[in-house]
Amino acid sequence: MTDAPRTSTLTPKPAAAVERAPEGALSPAVVWQMVRKYWSTALAAALVVSLAATFNTLGQVKIYQAQSTILFDPNPPRPLGQKVENIVDLGAGSFWDNREYYETQYKIIQSMKVATAVVSELGLQHDGSFLGNLPPGTPAPDANVPEEIAAEVLRGRVKVDAIKESRLAVVKLEDADPQRAQRILNVLVDTYVQQNLDDAVTSTATAADWLRSQLDKLKVDLESSEMALHEYKETKNILSVAIDDQSNMLREEMKQLNDTLTSVRTRKEEVQARRDELAKVKGENPTDLPASELLESHVLMGLRTSYEEAIRTRDGLLGEGKGRNYPDVKEADARAEAAKKALLAEVKNIQRALDKDLAVLKRQEAGLSGLFERAKKQALDLNLLEIEYNRLRRSKENNEKLYSLVLERTKESDLARVLRVNNIRVLDRPLVPRAPVRPQVTRSIAIGVFLGVLLGIATALARGLLDRSLKTPDEVEKDLGLPFLGLLPEIDENGARPGSYSPRRQRGKPVRVANSELIVHEQPTSGIAEAARTIRTNLLFMAPDKPYRTLLVTSAGPSEGKTTVATCIAIVMAQAGQKVALIDCDLRRPRVHRVFRKTSEVGVTTAMLEDSLDEAVLDTDVPNLWVIPAGPIPPNPAELLHSEKFKKFLDDVKKRFDRVIIDSPPIVPVTDAAVLSTLVDGTVLVVRAFKTTKDLARHAVRALQDIGATKAGAVLNAVNFNRHEYKYRYYYYRREGYYEGDEAAAARPARKAAARAKAAEDEHGAGSAPPA
C-alpha cells in the first residue's frame, strides 16, 4: 500500500478570531517564499542578465586615458618687480578668487578653438584610426573629413576635472590607442597654454597701441591747458605769487583795518559819552560833575573845591546870624560867584575840546571805513579770479597726471609685451597609460550579476504577485477570514497521487482505485482518508455543544471539487458510526449518482413531488451512508430549493439521519447555494489549491455574509505536496508504514531481510552465503 502524507489534526480558529491580512503586504518572509518558489525563473533571469553583462563587457573596446596636470598661477614671475603690472589681468586678485575664472578656463580647454588647432597640427581629420577610435593594430580606413567634425570628435573625448582646494586641474583624454592618447593630449595642453599666452600678449599689444595713441592726444591737451593758465595770469595781472598768498594778505589787511576801525568807533563813543555827561551840568548846581571828569582835570577839581569852600564860608556866616548885607557875607557870596563862573567856564572849555576830538574821530572812522570797503572789494574780485584760475590750474594738473599715468603704463606694457609672462603652465606632462579605464571587467560583471539577481528576484516577485490563487492554509485563513478545517491531497483519475517531499514516497507506485471520490472508503488507511478524518474532527470541534447536523458543501466556482469533498466528509462521518445522508442538491449539474453508480431517475425532485423519501433514499457500499440523488433536473432549481416543499423534505431527511451532507452548485455563478446556506447549520466552502482565485473566494464569502449564513470553515482541496508552498511546512508530516495494512506490516521484515542479503552478496561476491 502506498505511503501517503498524514495531516496533523488542526484545531480551527473561530470565525471571529481569524483576521484578514492586509492586501499586498510584502514581508521578507513572503519575498523569500516567492523567490524559493520561483527559483528557476529568478536563476534564469539572473543568468541571462549576468551573461549579457559579461559578454557585453568582454566585447567592448578597451579605452585608455591619458592625463596631464595644469597649474593656474595667480602670481606669475615679475622680473621688473611688483610695481610693473600686466595691462591684461592674468587672474590675480579678486577675479582669481571667482570660480567663474576656473570654469571659463575649463571650457576653453574643451573649446572648439583649441580642438581645431590640435586637429590642424596633427592632421587628425585624415586619421581614420582616430576618427573610428580603433585600437592599435587595427587596419585604419581612409578618412578625409572637415576639421570641424574631427574637432567635435576630439572634444567628446576630452574631460577636465578640478582638484579640490587647489589651483590645479587634470585634463583627461580617452582613446583606444594609449600612444595616440598621450600624443594628442600633449599637443592639446601645449596648444592651450600657447593660446593663453598669445591672447595675453595680443591683448597687451592692443592696449599698448591704444595707450600710445592716447599719449599724443594727452600731450597736446596738457600743453594747451598750460598756455591757457599762463595767458589768464598775464591778462589778469596775476603775479607769480600764489592766489592763496594774495588772499591771505588781503585777509590780514582787512583784519587790521577792521581792528583800527573798531578802536576808533569805541573812542568816539567814549568821547560822545563824556560830552553828553558834561552837557548835563546846570548853572544852579555846578558841583554836580561826573566823577571821571573830576579825576581827569585837576583845574576843575580845584575850582569845585574853591566854590564849595566859599559856599561853606557864607553858610557859616549866615549861621552866625549875620545878614545878607553883612560885608563878610557879601564877600563870601562874591567869592562863590567867581568860583562858580570859573567852574562853568572850565566845563565849557572841556566840552569844546571834546567836540573837536569827536569830530576828529568821526573823520578817522569814515576814512577807515572806506579803506575796509576797498579791501573787501579787492577780496571779492580776487575770489572771482581765483575760481577761473583754479579751474585752469586743475585742468592743467589733471592733464599732467593723466599724461604721466598713460606714459608710465605705455612703458610698462611695452616691457610686458617683451617679457611674455604667462600665468598658466603644464605641471605634469601626459604619460602613456598602461591600463584601460574602460571597460572595468570585474566591476561591470559584478554590477551585471547584482542587477541580474535583482531582476531575478523582481521576476519571482512579479510571478508570485500575479498569481492570485489560494495555495496554503495560511492564505485561506488570512485572505478569506474563515476557519481552516483541513485539506485533501490531489487525486487523479487512476487513484491517489499525494504530493510528498520524501524521495522514497515518490518512488512508490500509485494506488489504483475504482473511483477517485471513494478513495476514503476503498483505502481507509491512506493519507487522503486521514486528511478527511481531520476535517471531520475539526467540524466536530467547531461546535461541540451544538454540533452541525446539516452541512452544506459549496465552492466559489465550478470544478473546484465540492462533490469530492462532500463525499469524503460523508464517508468519514459514516465511518464514525453515524447514519449519514448525502444529498445532491446540485440541480443543474448533478454528480453524486455517478460517484455511487446510482440511477438519476429518483432523487430530490421526485421526493418533493411525491412527498415521500422511501424511493429517493438509496443505500451505498459504504456502511451507514445513504445518498439522495438530484433526480430529474427541473427548469427552475432556485425557486424549487426556496420552496416550502424543500424545507419539509429537508426536515424529513434530518429526522431519519444523524448527519446530512448537502452537495450544492457553486455560490458565485448561481444563487442555489445561497438559498441552501440559510437552511443548514453550517456551510463549508471548498477552495481548490492553485486554481481558486482570492477575489472569487472573497466574493463567495461576502455572499454568505450578506445573507447571514453560518460559515463552518474552508477546506483546501487538490493539494499537491510536491509544490514549493508545502515544503518544510509544520502542518504536514509522514510516518513510514504507520497506516499500512496487516499484510504489508507482516511482509516488512521479509523485505528488509532480503535487502540485507542482497547487500551482503554484493559485498562478499557471488556464491558466498549471507550471515544468519
Side-chain angles (χ1 to χ4, degrees):
M1 186 175 294
T2 304
D3 297 330
R6 178 181 181 272
T7 344
S8 64
T9 302
L10 296 177
T11 302
K13 301 177 183 179
V18 178
E19 296 180 357
R20 187 173 299 176
E23 182 69 19
L26 281 180
S27 63
V30 174
V31 174
W32 174 242
Q33 291 173 10
M34 292 183 181
V35 173
R36 287 183 59 189
K37 178 180 178 181
Y38 301 107
W39 65 270
S40 58
T41 303
L43 181 60
L47 286 177
V48 169
V49 175
S50 301
L51 291 176
T54 301
F55 287 125
N56 181 63
T57 301
L58 296 178
Q60 293 180 5
V61 178
K62 294 182 179 179
I63 301 299
Y64 297 84
Q65 186 181 81
Q67 298 182 2
S68 179
T69 305
I70 294 180
L71 171 64
F72 301 91
D73 191 358
N75 298 309
R78 298 180 184 272
L80 300 179
Q82 296 294 330
K83 292 185 178 180
V84 179
E85 299 179 356
N86 290 318
I87 298 301
V88 179
D89 195 347
L90 298 178
S94 60
F95 182 73
W96 183 260
D97 298 330
N98 194 339
R99 288 300 307 172
E100 294 179 358
Y101 175 79
Y102 292 102
E103 296 297 333
T104 302
Q105 296 304 314
Y106 302 156
K107 297 302 180 182
I108 292 175
I109 296 175
Q110 300 173 284
S111 65
M112 193 69 178
K113 178 182 178 182
V114 176
T116 303
V118 175
V119 169
S120 177
E121 182 175 350
L122 296 178
L124 298 179
Q125 69 272 23
H126 308 297
D127 191 347
S129 298
F130 165 77
L131 296 175
N133 200 15
L134 302 178
T138 304
D142 295 335
N144 187 12
V145 299
E147 291 185 354
E148 292 77 9
I149 297 179
E152 287 292 344
V153 174
L154 177 59
R155 291 180 63 195
R157 303 179 189 178
V158 177
K159 183 180 180 182
V160 182
D161 292 335
I163 300 178
K164 293 183 178 181
E165 300 180 358
S166 70
R167 296 186 177 95
L168 302 176
V170 178
V171 184
K172 303 176 182 179
L173 188 141
E174 295 180 352
D175 199 278
D177 188 347
Q179 299 287 344
R180 186 169 62 228
Q182 185 263 350
R183 182 177 71 256
I184 295 176
L185 183 59
N186 203 2
V187 174
L188 186 142
V189 295
D190 288 342
T191 302
Y192 164 68
V193 173
Q194 185 62 37
Q195 285 189 1
N196 181 77
L197 178 60
D198 292 343
D199 291 342
V201 171
T202 302
S203 300
T204 303
T206 303
D209 295 340
W210 180 83
L211 290 173
R212 192 171 290 106
S213 64
Q214 295 297 318
L215 185 64
D216 297 337
K217 180 180 179 181
L218 291 174
K219 182 178 180 181
V220 174
D221 293 342
L222 176 61
E223 292 175 353
S224 299
S225 61
E226 289 176 342
M227 291 304 299
L229 181 63
H230 172 71
E231 291 174 359
Y232 181 78
K233 292 171 65 177
E234 185 177 7
T235 302
K236 299 300 181 180
N237 196 21
I238 300 176
L239 301 178
S240 298
V241 180
I243 295 293
D244 293 338
D245 295 337
Q246 294 184 18
S247 177
N248 292 335
M249 292 171 59
L250 281 175
R251 189 180 303 108
E252 184 66 26
E253 180 181 354
M254 291 176 64
K255 181 178 181 301
Q256 292 179 0
L257 289 174
N258 185 57
D259 293 342
T260 305
L261 180 59
T262 302
S263 176
V264 170
R265 288 176 177 173
T266 303
R267 177 61 181 165
K268 185 186 73 171
E269 292 298 326
E270 292 177 356
V271 172
Q272 182 68 35
R274 288 178 61 192
R275 183 177 178 283
D276 293 340
E277 288 297 325
L278 288 175
K280 295 178 182 180
V281 178
K282 304 298 181 181
E284 294 83 5
N285 187 14
T287 59
D288 188 12
L289 297 172
S292 57
E293 295 296 332
L294 294 175
L295 291 176
E296 289 180 4
S297 177
H298 297 289
V299 176
L300 190 60
M301 185 178 294
L303 292 173
R304 179 184 177 187
T305 302
S306 298
Y307 176 73
E308 289 177 347
E309 288 178 357
I311 293 300
R312 283 196 299 274
T313 303
R314 186 194 64 181
D315 291 339
L317 293 175
L318 290 175
E320 292 176 358
K322 295 179 179 180
R324 290 277 182 186
N325 295 320
Y326 189 73
D328 293 336
V329 174
K330 290 182 176 181
E331 183 180 359
D333 287 335
R335 286 196 305 272
E337 186 66 24
K340 178 179 178 181
K341 290 180 180 181
L343 181 59
L344 292 175
E346 184 62 25
V347 169
K348 289 185 180 295
N349 290 334
I350 294 174
Q351 286 179 345
R352 286 192 294 270
L354 289 175
D355 290 338
K356 293 179 181 180
D357 291 341
L358 185 60
V360 171
L361 289 174
K362 287 181 178 180
R363 287 194 297 272
Q364 288 180 353
E365 179 183 8
L368 290 173
S369 296
L371 293 175
F372 183 79
E373 291 298 329
R374 285 194 297 271
K376 183 177 179 180
K377 185 176 183 306
Q378 290 179 2
L380 294 176
D381 294 341
L382 185 61
N383 287 339
L384 294 176
L385 294 176
E386 185 179 11
I387 292 174
E388 183 64 19
Y389 175 80
N390 288 336
R391 184 181 65 79
L392 294 173
R393 186 186 64 178
R394 186 167 54 251
S395 176
K396 176 253 183 183
E397 290 176 351
N398 290 338
N399 289 333
E400 186 177 4
K401 290 180 181 179
L402 188 58
Y403 177 79
S404 300
L405 177 62
V406 172
L407 179 62
E408 181 182 1
R409 297 297 286 176
T410 303
K411 299 299 182 183
E412 291 179 358
S413 62
D414 291 338
L415 293 175
R417 180 170 55 180
V418 174
L419 290 176
R420 300 175 65 86
V421 178
N422 195 355
N423 71 307
I424 298 176
R425 64 178 184 270
V426 180
L427 186 64
D428 292 330
R429 285 283 173 181
L431 302 176
V432 178
R434 298 181 179 180
V437 294
R438 292 197 316 270
Q440 299 180 2
V441 179
T442 304
R443 179 173 175 269
S444 298
I445 293 178
I447 293 176
V449 172
F450 177 72
L451 294 177
V453 172
L454 289 182
L455 181 60
I457 294 174
T459 306
L461 287 177
R463 286 195 60 183
L465 293 176
L466 291 176
D467 186 2
R468 300 287 297 170
S469 62
L470 293 167
K471 309 172 190 64
T472 63
D474 285 343
E475 292 180 356
V476 172
E477 289 187 342
K478 293 179 180 178
D479 291 312
L480 303 184
L482 294 179
F484 178 68
L485 299 176
L487 53 81
L488 288 179
E490 185 180 10
I491 305 173
D492 63 1
E493 295 178 356
N494 296 323
R497 190 176 60 192
S500 173
Y501 227 55
S502 171
R504 293 183 60 190
R505 184 173 306 280
Q506 291 178 354
R507 290 196 297 267
K509 296 180 179 180
V511 178
R512 302 289 181 177
V513 294
N515 196 333
S516 60
E517 283 84 355
L518 299 178
I519 188 173
V520 177
H521 169 65
E522 297 179 6
Q523 298 293 333
T525 59
S526 64
I528 296 178
E530 180 62 20
R533 282 189 282 271
T534 299
I535 297 173
R536 178 191 65 188
T537 304
N538 290 335
L539 283 172
L540 295 176
F541 274 103
M542 285 298 296
D545 298 331
K546 188 178 180 182
Y548 298 132
R549 290 196 58 203
T550 55
L551 280 175
L552 175 68
V553 180
T554 185
S555 64
S559 302
E560 295 186 0
K562 58 185 179 303
T563 301
T564 301
V565 174
T567 303
C568 292
I569 293 176
I571 292 173
V572 293
M573 290 286 188
Q575 289 175 350
Q578 298 178 343
K579 295 174 63 177
V580 180
L582 177 59
I583 306 176
D584 190 354
C585 286
D586 190 350
L587 303 182
R588 301 173 188 269
R589 298 177 61 184
R591 283 192 65 245
V592 173
H593 66 282
R594 295 199 197 99
V595 173
F596 291 93
R597 296 181 175 86
K598 300 296 181 180
T599 179
S600 62
E601 295 178 357
V602 295
V604 175
T605 55
T606 58
M608 292 174 59
L609 293 175
E610 297 175 2
D611 199 10
S612 175
L613 286 176
D614 296 335
E615 295 182 1
V617 177
L618 306 177
D619 59 349
T620 65
D621 296 336
V622 180
N624 300 325
L625 177 62
W626 286 264
V627 297
I628 303 177
I633 298 177
N636 52 349
E639 288 78 2
L640 189 62
L641 295 175
H642 203 273
S643 64
E644 293 296 329
K645 287 187 177 182
F646 180 78
K647 294 180 182 178
K648 182 178 182 302
F649 162 77
L650 189 59
D651 292 337
D652 293 341
V653 175
K654 290 165 61 177
K655 293 176 183 178
R656 292 192 182 188
F657 298 94
D658 299 329
R659 303 281 179 177
V660 178
I661 310 299
I662 301 176
D663 183 20
S664 70
I667 191 171
V668 174
V670 294
T671 62
D672 301 4
V675 174
L676 291 172
S677 64
T678 60
L679 305 176
V680 297
D681 298 334
T683 301
V684 176
L685 182 66
V686 178
V687 177
R688 190 175 184 88
F690 303 99
K691 179 182 178 182
T692 304
T693 62
K694 298 177 182 179
D695 299 329
L696 186 63
R698 289 173 185 166
H699 190 179
V701 173
R702 193 179 306 112
L704 294 174
Q705 288 177 347
D706 292 342
I707 61 177
T710 302
K711 299 181 289 294
V715 173
L716 192 62
N717 185 35
V719 174
N720 185 355
F721 291 107
N722 285 329
R723 300 294 290 265
H724 178 272
E725 286 78 1
Y726 295 94
K727 294 178 181 179
Y728 310 109
R729 290 284 180 159
Y730 65 90
Y731 313 103
Y732 323 108
Y733 63 88
R734 52 172 294 189
R735 299 285 181 86
E736 187 75 27
Y738 189 79
Y739 292 106
E740 295 184 32
D742 295 337
E743 257 183 74
R748 180 185 294 275
R751 289 199 305 269
K752 292 183 178 179
R756 286 197 299 269
K758 188 176 185 305
E761 181 180 355
D762 294 339
E763 180 178 359
H764 297 286
S768 60

